[in-house]
Amino acid sequence: MAILFIVALATPVQAAPPAPATVVDNTRVSDPDSGVAVNGDFTRVFFLPGSVAPVLNIGRTDLVYQGKLIQARAFMSATILFQPALRAIDNAHFVGSDDPDPSTNDLVAMRCKAADPGELQPRVASWPNVFTFATSDLADLMVYTPADCPTPDLDPGYPVDQRVYCKAQSFSDQANVMVPLVLQNAVDTGATIFQYTGTPFEADPRRTTGWGVLSDLYGIGWGFSGLGYSVENSFLVSEGGNVPLTAAQSLEQSVVTEYLVMNVPLKDADCRCVRVRPYNKRDTSLLRWDRVWNVGKLDPDDGHCVSRANLP
């Protein structure tokens, strides 16, 4: 008598995707000792005229003072928050950016996965972190020390960058059980710095306001909240640029975790990057970040962002 053996083939059980709350939470965790973000996978998308020189760094390299880049750090986002793929322009809108002229601007998409967190030194883009950065970066760029601050609030007769330095280095982030009060302390300090005026910033004499100094140092725009989230749709070309928002709108549109990272060469931070020239419906096509990583290997000669005919 034949004996029939039935072998059940085990079907692999796929792990359930993590809950969105966990995903977002993981993007905001920092090392308790260094303050460096634990997340190690970052993206950046922006638009620039085709006449602009090859992209070699994460941020701007065209402003230099005494041999040092004025833009010390640049904004990046957590890659996982843009997966599955979104339209390229949606990536930009979520981080408070837009394409001023899709018919002439190149689109630049970069992704960085530095094995050594020290290369990028990523930190959540919060006001307390900005104050820490401004203290160290202005000390490095302009050789300021606490001795240059006879009082925390220098008058407008001082260079505006010195006023920013002194206010930032005097900030004290005190714990309180009433969260609105600790946030008020940070936001009030940031708002004060934004509105500072003074004699011109020696490194960039066009700048005579505190916001202008932060713009040079970090690319901070008027839509920066300092809460560690970029404010979606805070800059839209279709609405004339910077969009007037209420507090309710600003908080509702704070969706994507944003970081400030060191403005280093792409090749030094394990980055890959594509630069895509204009073509019909480019900005409304999907931007696949895994494909950016696969096809965005840097130019082997100098490490600049490679040109591609189409979005990955």
Side-chain angles (χ1 to χ4, degrees):
M1 180 178 64
I3 300 176
L4 178 65
F5 291 93
I6 300 176
V7 179
L9 298 177
T11 301
V13 178
Q14 294 184 342
T22 302
V23 172
V24 176
D25 185 49
N26 289 340
T27 67
R28 301 183 68 78
V29 175
S30 299
D31 180 87
D33 296 322
S34 66
V36 170
V38 173
N39 173 60
D41 191 345
F42 305 95
T43 57
R44 177 168 164 80
V45 61
F46 58 95
F47 305 90
L48 77 177
S51 59
V52 172
V55 176
L56 290 162
N57 273 46
I58 292 174
R60 294 180 63 174
T61 57
D62 57 322
L63 294 176
V64 179
Y65 177 72
Q66 295 187 350
K68 297 178 181 179
L69 292 179
I70 295 178
Q71 184 170 2
R73 303 167 200 264
F75 285 100
M76 297 197 82
S77 305
T79 305
I80 195 169
L81 299 180
F82 296 96
Q83 294 173 320
L86 300 171
R87 300 185 311 164
I89 197 63
D90 291 337
N91 281 250
H93 288 167
F94 267 117
V95 298
S97 180
D98 204 359
D99 186 356
D101 191 348
S103 65
T104 63
N105 282 337
D106 291 351
L107 180 154
V108 177
M110 60 179 64
R111 183 176 182 181
C112 302
K113 297 195 285 187
D116 178 6
E119 292 291 347
L120 285 175
Q121 298 179 32
R123 292 176 185 254
V124 173
S126 66
W127 276 124
N129 282 336
V130 169
F131 303 146
T132 298
F133 293 151
T135 301
S136 61
D137 294 335
L138 285 171
D140 178 63
L141 185 68
M142 306 304 296
V143 201
Y144 287 135
T145 71
D148 293 304
C149 304
T151 64
D153 296 303
L154 302 180
D155 65 55
Y158 286 87
V160 67
D161 51 295
Q162 187 175 348
R163 298 192 75 193
V164 171
Y165 168 82
C166 292
K167 190 66 173 179
Q169 70 93 33
S170 70
F171 175 75
S172 179
D173 194 7
Q174 300 295 321
N176 195 307
V177 295
M178 291 183 283
V179 171
L181 298 187
V182 293
L183 290 179
Q184 181 184 32
N185 180 33
V187 173
D188 278 356
T189 302
T192 296
I193 288 176
F194 246 52
Q195 298 173 85
Y196 269 158
T197 59
T199 59
F201 183 18
E202 184 178 326
D204 183 1
R206 300 171 304 166
R207 302 300 194 181
T208 58
T209 67
W211 165 74
V213 174
L214 295 182
S215 178
D216 272 359
L217 292 175
Y218 311 120
I220 284 177
W222 287 0
F224 179 72
S225 72
L227 300 179
Y229 292 101
S230 52
V231 181
E232 181 188 8
N233 293 334
S234 55
F235 182 91
L236 293 172
V237 174
S238 62
E239 298 191 27
N242 291 294
V243 179
L245 299 174
T246 64
Q249 290 171 320
S250 300
L251 293 171
E252 289 169 4
Q253 293 168 212
S254 296
V255 180
V256 171
T257 300
E258 64 179 354
Y259 309 85
L260 282 166
V261 307
M262 296 296 293
N263 181 13
V264 296
L266 297 170
K267 60 184 177 60
D268 291 348
D270 299 320
C271 300
R272 297 184 183 181
C273 180
V274 296
R275 180 170 180 167
V276 184
R277 299 189 184 281
Y279 64 86
N280 188 38
K281 297 184 179 180
R282 178 199 62 188
D283 288 5
T284 54
S285 298
L286 294 179
L287 179 52
R288 300 175 177 85
W289 287 104
D290 286 342
R291 289 284 296 157
V292 170
W293 186 255
N294 290 337
V295 306
K297 293 182 180 179
L298 305 178
D299 181 271
D301 293 330
D302 63 0
H304 73 251
C305 185
V306 296
S307 295
R308 296 291 178 192
N310 297 284
L311 281 181

